[in-house]
Each structure stands twice: as structure tokens, then as C-alpha cells.
């Protein structure tokens, strides 16, 4: 299944990134458009990686890798990039991708174990 073309996931991703851009304009933050694009790339990479997973264990490893990359990015910019609304969207994005592939339930937060944001 090609998740990169999934309209639900694309909508969640785009909404998250738009929220980051809006917050950047409205507030004094330590991140830039380049940081938002880096976040977008991490999310896109996640879809490619999890689509290649052949079992729940390898899917969990994909989630772990993605969440750790997002933790590092968010820490680099002082923790401003992933606020509450973005956290909810990113979790929804990662959980939905796994659920579409049958690796986790739609209500199962597979990010919590590694998430710092």
C-alpha cells in the first residue's frame, strides 16, 4: 500500500505543518521554515519506511526512529516546533499510518514510549 498518496494522511500532515507556520508567524519562536520542511521530510520518510515494514516489530522500529528524529529536531529549536496541536496531529499521522497497514489499532498510541514532545 502506498501511504504517500493517502488523502487522509496527507490532510493530517498538511494541517500539522500549517499549524507550525501559523504559530511561527504569530509568536516569537526559535524555528524557521527550514525546520518545518525538515519535519515534513521526517513525516514523509516515515510513510516510506513503515510501508516497507513486514511485521509489527519492524513497524514499531519505524515509529521509534521517526519519534526520535522528531525529538531531536524539536530539541534543536528549543521545543517550540511541536506544540500541543502539532503533537496531536503528528501522533494521529503516525498512528493512522500504522493502523492502515494493520500494525496497530486506531486508538493505540504507538509513539508514547519514545515521545518527548
Amino acid at each position: 500500500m502506498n501511504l504517500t498518496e493517502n488523502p487522509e494522511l496527507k490532510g493530517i500532515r498538511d494541517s500539522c505543518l500549517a499549524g507550525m507556520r501559523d504559530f511561527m508567524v504569530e509568536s516569537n519562536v526559535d524555528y524557521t521554515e527550514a525546520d518545518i520542511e525538515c519535519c515534513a521530510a521526517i513525516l514523509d520518510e516515515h510513510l516510506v519506511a513503515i510501508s516497507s515494514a513486514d511485521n509489527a516489530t519492524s513497524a514499531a522500529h519505524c515509529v521509534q526512529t521517526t519519534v526520535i528524529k522528531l525529538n531531536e529536531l524539536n530539541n534543536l529549536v528549543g521545543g517550540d516546533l511541536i506544540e500541543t496541536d502539532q503533537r496531536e496531529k503528528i501522533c494521529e499521522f503516525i498512528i493512522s499510518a500504522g493502523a492502515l497497514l494493520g500494525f496497530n489499532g486506531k486508538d493505540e498510541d504507538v509513539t508514547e514510549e519514545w515521545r518527548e514532545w
Side-chain angles (χ1 to χ4, degrees), residues 61-74:
H61 180 71
C62 293
V63 171
Q64 179 183 12
T65 299
T66 298
V67 171
I68 289 171
K69 286 180 183 179
L70 290 168
N71 288 344
E72 291 169 354
L73 174 62
N74 198 47

Side-chain angles (χ1 to χ4, degrees), residues 12-117:
I12 297 167
R13 175 193 177 277
D14 291 350
S15 175
C16 176
L17 300 175
M20 290 174 177
R21 287 183 179 99
D22 290 345
F23 191 67
M24 185 173 65
V25 170
E26 297 167 2
S27 304
N28 183 22
V29 296
D30 290 330
Y31 64 88
T32 65
E33 180 63 29
D35 298 314
I36 296 171
E37 289 304 317
C38 184
C39 181
I42 293 169
L43 296 176
D44 294 344
E45 290 167 7
H46 177 73
L47 294 185
V48 172
I50 201 163
S51 293
S52 299
D54 52 6
N55 57 48
T57 301
S58 59
H61 180 71
C62 293
V63 171
Q64 179 183 12
T65 299
T66 298
V67 171
I68 289 171
K69 286 180 183 179
L70 290 168
N71 288 344
E72 291 169 354
L73 174 62
N74 198 47
N75 288 337
L76 279 173
V77 297
D80 288 341
L81 186 65
I82 303 175
E83 295 289 334
T84 303
D85 290 344
Q86 289 73 39
R87 180 190 71 227
E88 296 303 319
K89 293 288 183 192
I90 291 170
C91 288
E92 181 183 3
F93 179 87
I94 292 171
I95 293 164
S96 295
L100 285 168
L101 295 171
F103 293 128
N104 55 265
K106 189 81 167 148
D107 296 325
E108 183 181 354
D109 187 352
V110 294
T111 69
E112 188 174 20
E113 183 175 348
W114 305 286
R115 182 168 33 92
E116 296 174 358
W117 24 271

